[in-house]
Amino acid sequence: FASLTNVHPGFDPSNVITARITLSGAAYDDPQARSRYVSQTLEQIKALPGVQSAAFVAPMPFSGAEIGGDFRFEGRGTPEPGQEPTANVRNVTSQYFQTIGIPLLKGRYFSDQERGGNVGTAIVNETFAKRYFANEDPIGQRIRELGVNQNPGDPKQYEIVGVVGDVHHNSLKRSATPELYLPHHQNSWPWGNFVARTTNDPAILTHSFTETIRAADKSVPVTGVRLLNDAISATLSQPRFYTLLFGLFGATGLLLTVVGIYSVISYTVSH
């Protein structure tokens, strides 16, 4: 358990608060409407006192959700059935990596100028780069036929512009898997999490953070407001319980041993 708690998640969860939203109804059927809502809400969150940066991500690390799919590489032949490259996919706004502290290893982060078109942009993690481009530079390579949550009008291809560090997205016990990040303005989903990094204790901002999101559109439900550190801690509840249980068994066994030895020695001395 001690070793598990010392595993670095791949980002800095300190001073980060999160909240989940779901966009439903005809007003948010249009991907552009979802993008406008997210952009406008982020501007309001960034204006809160103590907020250093803010972003949007779907799915959120340590939320228990994963969205994955297969794809093809431009310029490579069609893979054999069952051998298609796969990756978990996340759509994020431009400041996501900086907000939760995922390091850039090569290339560049997303910018606010990433927009739709026939060719979009993508960022991959280190495991993705090593698995699919062991002897090549991933920057400039293109991905097509992405089989996950595509909206009408989304790019047909995505060009890799950056490589970031690996992240343990759901469990500190699991090794990192290939990850593909897409800009929210090019591939938006009707749900996800706002995240904000603060300059002081984020718990102080819980109320204002939540109310700011609700004020953007009162019809949008806001749930799962919590600190990112707490989300990670929740995934350790089972090993924490087992550690406590085994520790209790060990202490009980030690106590019984001490009492037994004392009794035997006491009986021996008295006779």
Side-chain angles (χ1 to χ4, degrees):
F1 177 71
S3 297
L4 191 59
T5 57
N6 287 327
V7 173
H8 193 279
F11 57 91
D12 179 11
S14 61
N15 286 12
V16 176
I17 188 171
T18 80
R20 180 184 169 93
I21 58 97
T22 302
L23 302 172
S24 58
Y28 293 111
D29 285 344
D30 180 13
Q32 295 303 316
R34 299 197 291 264
S35 182
R36 284 193 298 271
Y37 165 82
V38 168
S39 296
Q40 292 168 3
T41 306
L42 282 175
E43 290 304 313
Q44 297 300 315
I45 294 173
K46 291 174 184 176
L48 290 173
V51 171
Q52 182 178 342
S53 62
F56 188 79
V57 55
M60 180 72 198
F62 291 90
S63 65
E66 288 286 11
I67 301 294
D70 57 13
F71 52 88
R72 305 291 182 271
F73 288 111
E74 185 67 17
R76 296 187 182 180
T78 303
E80 294 293 329
Q83 301 299 316
E84 298 89 352
T86 62
N88 289 322
V89 180
R90 299 175 195 278
N91 78 65
V92 301
T93 54
S94 61
Q95 293 295 308
Y96 171 69
F97 303 102
Q98 298 93 318
T99 298
I100 73 167
I102 300 177
L104 179 68
L105 304 181
K106 193 171 189 176
R108 66 174 178 86
Y109 286 128
F110 292 138
S111 71
D112 290 331
Q113 280 65 53
E114 315 287 348
R115 287 295 182 266
N118 192 49
V119 180
T121 52
I123 289 176
V124 300
N125 70 342
E126 187 176 13
T127 293
F128 185 107
K130 288 181 177 178
R131 178 171 299 183
Y132 299 124
F133 298 100
N135 301 310
E136 301 177 71
D137 186 354
I139 304 300
Q141 303 285 352
R142 290 188 177 184
I143 293 167
R144 60 183 173 82
E145 298 180 34
L146 183 62
V148 56
N149 285 38
Q150 293 287 85
N151 302 301
D154 281 356
K156 303 302 181 185
Q157 296 183 2
Y158 293 91
E159 182 175 319
I160 299 173
V161 298
V163 179
V164 295
D166 287 337
V167 170
H168 296 274
H169 273 108
N170 279 320
S171 172
L172 296 177
K173 296 184 291 185
R174 289 174 52 193
S175 299
T177 57
E179 295 280 342
L180 181 63
Y181 298 90
L182 305 179
H184 185 265
H185 294 306
Q186 294 178 3
N187 181 267
S188 65
W189 302 339
W191 55 274
N193 283 69
F194 288 105
V195 296
R197 178 172 293 281
T198 66
T199 55
N200 45 35
D201 184 1
I204 299 174
L205 286 176
T206 299
H207 178 73
S208 58
F209 176 70
T210 307
E211 290 306 309
T212 297
I213 299 173
R214 285 178 176 153
D217 186 341
K218 296 188 184 302
S219 69
V220 175
V222 183
T223 59
V225 181
R226 59 179 176 174
L227 308 187
L228 189 48
N229 265 327
D230 291 343
I232 297 175
S233 179
T235 66
L236 299 175
S237 58
Q238 188 177 63
R240 183 183 295 110
F241 170 75
Y242 288 147
T243 301
L244 178 63
L245 185 65
F246 292 145
L248 180 61
F249 286 161
T252 302
L254 178 62
L255 178 62
L256 291 173
T257 301
V258 169
V259 170
I261 292 174
Y262 172 80
S263 300
V264 169
I265 293 176
S266 177
Y267 177 82
T268 303
V269 170
S270 65
H271 289 76

